[in-house]
Amino acid sequence: MPAADTSCAADPADLELETARRRAMETGDPAAFSRLGALLLRRGDLDGAERHLRAATAEGDRSAANNLGVLLHQRGYADEAAAWWRVAAVAGSAAAAHALGRYHRERGDEPAAEYWLRQSAESGHALGAYALADLLEHRSDVGAERWFRSAAERGHREAAYRLARILDGRSPGKVPANGLAASLGPQRNVAGGDTSVRDLRAAAAGGREAAEAEQWYRQAAARGHRRAALHLGTLLEGRGETEEAAHWYLTSAKDGESRAACALGFLLRDAGDTESAAVWWRRAAQDGDGNAANALGAMHADRGEPQQAERWYRAALEAGDVNGAYNLALLCAEQGRTAQAEQWYRRAAYAGHREAANALAILLLQGGDAAGAEPWFSKAAEAGSVDAAFNLGILYTQRQDERTALKWYERAAAAGHTDAALQVALVLQREGEDAEAERHLRVAAEGGSAEAAFRLASVLERDPHRDEAAETECERWYRKAAEDGHRRAQVRLGMLVAERGDVVEAARWYREAAEAGSRNGAFNLGLLLAREGSEPEAAMWWARAAEAGHGRAALRLALLAARRGDLAEGQRWCAQAVEYGPAEVAERAARLRDALQQELSA
């Protein structure tokens, strides 16, 4: 059988229109004319639609009155359109009430707009509910949430997104990112201000509101809302679900959301795919995303391509991202272009970039301009730069203004700055406040300070009431400091393990300390070796300690020389022991020196 010829098959829309036209002609029913007018309106046949819609409205059809208003509005007759919308709205048309509310809002008549939008919303019209919520939110009215929810529950994607934003903003834990001069080590900043994905990610939090916000983000994103997809991605990435986050970033990026393209680039970079990351960053940067331009600049800088890095940093700055100026300053500083670095730091600092203000202050300080540095440190610290607060503490310490220095150290310490917490602890220890100092030492030690770990262990060790748990903790902190290369901690840890008979581990720690220049480590290693019968090697370590000013080591060497009859060498070491002390060692060394002198004179 030959295939059927479908070349003359009618379009379904044409069939629907023809059916409506025939029914209107045959019955003369206003509802049929209204439907025919609506079909013609959708097809763009305004003349044909108007004739049928007017016929239906003359018979009191409210749907026709609403559509006639739409038609007249399209033709530019807004006031006449509003008159027909009013007719339809009074007759109970929720769609007409919504259109009339929008008409009044566009003309600044908010009371009338609210009245008609509320009529529409309370009739269950999704667009009316959304428009009412938008009006109420503009006035900061808490009732907006109810109507966003109403519209979202009816499938309005923008309402779902905005409801999610309200809930997200109420989530608990919402948040809007060491040393002076060369020790600071500023890092490139690729964050792009308040609207950056990094800020969105930092704001992701748990709780009931966050869970509900996620639900609405998902609904809006599934309906093609690109910003909802972006926020959903940041929420998922914030809790480590990077694979699904990448899916939503990609969805949003493909719809033209530059921030999503930028965020996708960071995910790809973190996964090791720098080339693909660069593709998305470039796409975002070309759309004016300064964050992505900074990321491209940092990538080229890391590759040793300063010209390309500078190009993208400048693009970031042109996009309005002040981090571009800060990164340009860092790039110039790395290349030794100090004058240009200062210029870019100043530009970023004057624009309110706190870390640029801190870096500018450091640059000025390195150039000997302490007076010029101080205001920039203060500006950065007041803006929330923890490093600047710490640096101010150092500045005032150098001026011997301990009270002001402590104020800034305490501010930096309260924000978690490790070195600042150590400095506060040192002040408290000088004042005999070991209990309060211990709290700050713990903060600094847990932040990675070897000196703080050593001092914390010392405080614990001095406690006469310490129990077994405290002794264990004491050794743990000594070990942490020792493993980080702290020489005094290595010596003290060696002493602790030696006391329980572990001479092998003790020797290892003494040797590490001695080889790093610790005279106490060298002396103790010598003692341990002498006890084990390795007197020649012990003498070698004592000699190293004595040459570094260790009186006890010098006395030991004097006794060794006296035993083997080398009286002159014994006297030489005695003289050093007398010089170096301490007092009891100097006294013993003096007696031995006198005895050796008598031997030589005999």
Side-chain angles (χ1 to χ4, degrees), residues 385-387 389-390 405-425 428 439-441 443-444:
S385 170
V386 180
D387 285 329
F390 175 67
L406 180 59
K407 181 190 78 170
W408 288 110
Y409 284 144
E410 286 176 334
R411 179 181 293 199
H417 194 288
T418 297
D419 290 337
L422 174 60
Q423 292 301 319
V424 173
L428 291 169
R439 180 173 66 86
H440 289 283
L441 287 172
V443 171

Side-chain angles (χ1 to χ4, degrees), residues 270-511:
D270 294 344
D273 190 354
T274 309
E275 294 306 318
S276 295
V279 170
W280 287 104
W281 282 333
R282 193 170 289 108
R283 179 169 173 173
Q286 288 167 349
D287 286 339
D289 191 293
N291 192 21
N294 274 314
L296 283 167
M299 182 190 73
H300 286 293
D302 291 341
R303 290 177 176 177
E305 300 167 350
Q307 290 182 332
Q308 286 295 318
E310 183 168 342
R311 170 197 164 197
W312 286 111
Y313 289 150
R314 287 181 181 274
L317 188 57
E318 289 169 4
D321 190 336
V322 70
N323 286 312
Y326 177 62
N327 288 331
L328 279 167
L330 294 177
L331 187 67
C332 290
E334 288 169 2
Q335 296 172 335
R337 295 152 60 192
T338 306
Q340 288 175 284
E342 181 179 339
Q343 170 194 339
W344 290 116
Y345 280 140
R346 282 188 186 278
R347 180 163 177 177
Y350 277 120
H353 195 294
R354 66 191 188 193
E355 297 310 330
N358 181 55
L360 174 60
I362 291 169
L363 201 62
L364 293 170
L365 194 64
Q366 289 172 335
D369 186 4
E374 183 183 348
W376 287 112
F377 277 140
S378 296
K379 185 173 183 177
E382 293 295 350
S385 170
V386 180
D387 285 329
F390 175 67
N391 289 338
L392 274 173
I394 294 178
L395 198 64
Y396 282 106
T397 297
Q398 292 171 347
R399 295 176 180 175
Q400 299 184 347
D401 185 349
E402 296 292 341
R403 183 180 297 275
T404 307
L406 180 59
K407 181 190 78 170
W408 288 110
Y409 284 144
E410 286 176 334
R411 179 181 293 199
H417 194 288
T418 297
D419 290 337
L422 174 60
Q423 292 301 319
V424 173
L426 293 177
V427 172
L428 291 169
Q429 284 189 311
R430 285 198 297 270
E431 295 174 352
E433 299 287 343
D434 268 7
E436 184 64 15
E438 181 182 335
R439 180 173 66 86
H440 289 283
L441 287 172
R442 284 187 183 279
V443 171
E446 287 167 359
S449 169
E451 179 66 21
F454 169 74
R455 287 179 175 271
L456 175 59
S458 300
V459 169
L460 294 170
E461 189 176 21
R462 287 196 300 270
D463 183 358
H465 306 296
R466 68 181 184 277
D467 54 15
E468 185 176 344
E471 289 180 357
T472 301
E473 186 185 10
C474 169
E475 181 175 332
R476 177 168 67 85
W477 286 115
Y478 274 137
R479 188 174 297 278
K480 175 68 171 64
E483 289 170 349
D484 287 342
H486 194 286
R487 294 182 300 178
R488 293 167 67 196
Q490 290 168 343
V491 173
R492 190 64 200 131
L493 181 59
M495 294 171 70
L496 288 180
V497 297
E499 285 172 7
R500 60 172 182 255
D502 191 344
V503 295
V504 174
E505 187 179 2
R508 178 170 73 86
W509 289 115
Y510 290 150
R511 191 178 298 276

